[in-house]
Structure formats: structure tokens, C-alpha cells
Amino acid sequence: MSEKVVIIGSGPAGWAAAIYAARANLDPLLYEGTVKPEMIPLGQLAFTTEVENYPGFPFGNVREFVETSVDKERHWNLPPVPSEQRDGKPHYAVQGVELMELMKQQALNFQTRVVSDDIIDVDFTSQPLRVMPASGDPIESQTVIVATGARANYLGLDSEETYKNKGVSACAVCDGALPIYRNKPLAVIGGGDSAVEEATYLANLKDAATIYLVHRRDQLRASKIMQQRALDHPKIELVWNSVVEEVLGDGEMVTSLKLKSTVDDSERELEVGGMFVAIGHTPNTAFLHGKLEMNDKGYIHWKEPFRTLTSAEGVFAAGDVADDYYRQAITSAGTGCMAALDAERYLAAHEA
Ligand code: NDP
């Protein structure tokens, strides 16, 4: 028997789609992924610490809420409780994993069926659609929601890996305002719009120190208006023709970067308390083997503006896999909801 809705991916878009589809009695089947980096269980937020910008989650004793909401057998996945206090109160923003476990719980509460497996191929040429899990038989479904996200590109250094979440981040908007970065010189790596935007964001924070924008060439790729914004900003300093050779730290936090000149190979050390990598993203679409229309950057193309319809009938795309522009948890969850509503309307229109 064919499914009504199969959802591929377990970030905010996947869970939001599941919650909406389940509440519409579509009995969704969600593949949450097992293998990094192609299908990341719980999505990119699984790699984030505090999430301060997801509406509805102000600072507070979030952990009590998480522990009373999330099933006990998944508490092992919860991160340690941060100990920061401000004004004598716990200053505790929801952690990325906690937020995702809450979304997963909400989907489970409405009987979403969750499978810990990856989808490795699809056939969208005719109805019913088919998705192929890594193990087990192909699954037939009338609709499919692709919500596999995108992953931030990193430099690929071992030392960068060591300091992830200890001063290395790929999202200044998510992490830049955290106390660990306050009043410290910081580096943003890259020369595109994202790098300039992240540097400007950091430089405009209340407690900003110098923000170094480290680029491998002597010209930015960013749009002219964005470039000018960075060049004119009193707190942003351009470091041209330089690549990061090594991230240095004291074991707990980043303390500096070893930079190498792309012109004469000379090396220097740049003292910083954090490094934000902004060298682009890669959408997780390899498993589709080009069977959906993508844009020139490999993101799934929405057939109509503000609709989640893709080039294949009955297939919808939500979250970062179809968005190279906003890339926020809240926008991702929003398009997950849209995809579930689109799937519901598609099913209603095609009811036998
Ligand atoms: P881009 O691909 O535009 O830029 C990536 C940057 O990273 C380039 O400057 C590139 O250098 C550099 N880079 C790539 N790989 C490495 C590496 N291994 N080591 C060092 N540097 C590296 O990606 P963005 O994320 O900046 O932007 C993606 C899209 O989103 C663009 O179309 C952009 O316009 C858009 N965007 C728009 C915004 C806005 O309008 N507000 C904000 C953010 C993004 P090089 O230049 O030498 O190739």
C-alpha cells in the first residue's frame, strides 16, 4: 500500500512538515537520516549550541521544559546544562539539540512514524512516487517532502574541527552574540555576501571589538553595496590575500589563527577569540541524483514563487535544501509547514 506523505530530513523543515501532515491525518512517514554529512539527523541545529533567535524561546529554565516534554529514552542526546547566571537567574537559551528534540517530540506526539535510515535514491517519474532507503524495500508514496537541508562548508582543517563550538562557527547570526565572543577580536573567513554580512553583523553588536575579514584574494566577491558597507565600517579590518593554516587555542577556546599569505607564502598569527567560516553552503541533494530541477548552485528549484512545488508532481521541497538565501531555523520550519499544506492540497485534488 502506498503512503500518503513521506518526509525526508529531520531538521526544522522536516519536523514542521511532519507536525502539520500528522495533524491533517496524513499519517506521515519521516526518514531522519543516519549518516553525516549527507542526511544529518536533527539537521544543522544539531551542531549549534544556544539558539537565541527562535521565537518563543527566551532565556529561562528551558531545561525543565525540555526534560518534561522529551521522552526519557532520548535524554541521553541532550547537551549538558550551561551554568551561566545573570542577575541571579539562569541565563539559559534553548540549545540546538534541545530545540530539535522538542520538534521531534511534537511530531511523535501526533504519531509521526520515524525511521532512522537514509534515503539513497528516488524515482519521481510516475505515481506512486518511490524512495529507496539504504536498508529495506523501496517505499511508495503519493507525495514526498524533501527537507534534507544544506551543510555549511568548512575549511577542512583538523584544528578547525577541534574548536567547533569552542570558537569556530559557520553562523555569526546564530552564534555571534553569545557571551564567549563578547569584547573579543573575531575573524570572518570568506569574501562573498555571506562573509561581509556576517562581519557587519558582528561589528554592529553592542560589545564588538575588531572584526577581521580574512579573504584569500585582494578583491571581495560580495556585491558592491555590501563591500562598501564592510570597507567603511570602523570596526571591520580587511585581511587580504590570506588563508587560515591552523586554528590555535588553549584547548577550551580559540585564541588565534595562523594565516598564510597567498602572495608570498609568509605566515603570521592573528589574535582572535573566534573564527566564523562563511565560504558557502552545499545543499544535501546528492541522493536525488539530479532527478529534480535545481538552480545553478544545486538548490532545489521551487516551480512557483512562494509555493513548495518542485519539478516533479507530488514532490515538495522545504527548508535550506531549497533556500540559499535566508537559511534560518524559523524560515525552514515555515516552509516545512507550507510543504505539508501543499501536499495536503495535492492529495485532496488527486483523491481517487
Ligand atoms: P559565495 O560562493 O558567494 O562566496 C564564497 C566566498 O568564500 C568567496 O569569496 C570564496 O572566495 C570564498 N571561499 C570559498 N572556498 C574557500 C576556501 N576553501 N577558503 C577560503 N575562502 C573560500 O557564497 P556566499 O555564502 O557568500 O553567498 C551565497 C549566495 O547567497 C550568493 O549568491 C550571495 O549573493 C547570496 N547572499 C546574499 C546576501 C544578501 O544579499 N544580503 C547575503 C548572503 C548571501 P573567492 O571569492 O576567491 O572564490
Side-chain angles (χ1 to χ4, degrees), residues 33-52:
T34 62
V35 181
K36 293 171 189 176
E38 187 53 34
M39 271 189 72
I40 307 160
L42 303 183
Q44 288 195 97
L45 279 173
F47 304 132
T48 310
T49 51
E50 286 98 328
V51 181
E52 295 182 326

Side-chain angles (χ1 to χ4, degrees), residues 155 191-194 197 215-217 221 279-280 297 324-325:
L155 300 167
D193 279 325
S194 294
E197 192 171 69
H215 186 35
R216 61 186 178 183
R217 295 186 292 129
R221 176 180 295 279
I279 60 169
K297 293 175 207 140
D324 65 354
Y325 193 78

Side-chain angles (χ1 to χ4, degrees), residues 153-156 189-198 214-217 219-223 225-226 229 242-244 277-281 297 299 324-327:
N153 297 337
Y154 281 90
L155 300 167
I189 316 301
D193 279 325
S194 294
V196 170
E197 192 171 69
E198 304 237 314
V214 180
H215 186 35
R216 61 186 178 183
R217 295 186 292 129
Q219 250 186 348
L220 294 172
R221 176 180 295 279
S223 53
I225 188 163
M226 301 275 286
R229 212 169 287 166
S242 300
V243 289
V244 179
V277 185
I279 60 169
H281 285 73
K297 293 175 207 140
Y299 288 79
D324 65 354
Y325 193 78
Y326 295 107
R327 297 191 305 241

Side-chain angles (χ1 to χ4, degrees), residues 103-258:
M103 289 192 198
K104 177 172 180 174
Q105 188 65 49
Q106 207 169 348
L108 289 170
N109 291 351
F110 296 109
Q111 282 78 51
T112 300
R113 291 164 299 145
V114 178
V115 183
S116 294
D117 200 357
D118 302 299
I119 297 300
I120 53 169
D121 202 355
V122 296
D123 180 357
F124 295 153
T125 51
S126 60
Q127 275 287 353
L129 309 162
R130 282 154 60 94
V131 299
M132 290 41 151
S135 47
D137 295 329
I139 304 292
E140 294 187 344
S141 183
Q142 289 165 265
T143 67
V144 172
I145 296 174
V146 180
T148 42
R151 57 189 184 277
N153 297 337
Y154 281 90
L155 300 167
L157 304 167
D158 289 343
S159 54
E160 174 188 54
E161 197 59 43
T162 307
Y163 286 101
K164 270 188 193 163
N165 287 334
K166 297 176 182 172
V168 171
S169 161
C171 183
V173 179
C174 321
D175 298 336
L178 297 177
I180 54 169
Y181 295 115
R182 243 167 247 163
N183 291 311
K184 289 182 183 170
L186 303 169
V188 176
I189 316 301
D193 279 325
S194 294
V196 170
E197 192 171 69
E198 304 237 314
T200 311
Y201 173 83
L202 293 171
N204 285 338
L205 291 175
K206 196 163 87 6
D207 302 316
T210 304
I211 308 299
Y212 298 103
L213 184 53
V214 180
H215 186 35
R216 61 186 178 183
R217 295 186 292 129
D218 63 357
Q219 250 186 348
L220 294 172
R221 176 180 295 279
S223 53
K224 288 282 176 277
I225 188 163
M226 301 275 286
Q227 288 194 26
Q228 208 53 47
R229 212 169 287 166
L231 294 167
D232 291 347
H233 202 295
K235 288 192 173 168
I236 298 179
E237 198 173 303
L238 269 300
V239 181
W240 299 112
N241 299 315
S242 300
V243 289
V244 179
E245 278 273 285
E246 198 180 349
V247 180
L248 303 167
D250 58 8
E252 293 300 315
M253 267 306 281
V254 170
T255 53
S256 63
L257 302 177
K258 193 205 275 182

Side-chain angles (χ1 to χ4, degrees), residues 17 20-21 24 145 308 316 336-347:
Y20 271 76
I145 296 174
T308 63
F316 306 90
C337 157
M338 287 158 62
L341 295 176
D342 285 338
E344 187 185 355
R345 284 167 198 172
Y346 174 90
L347 288 166

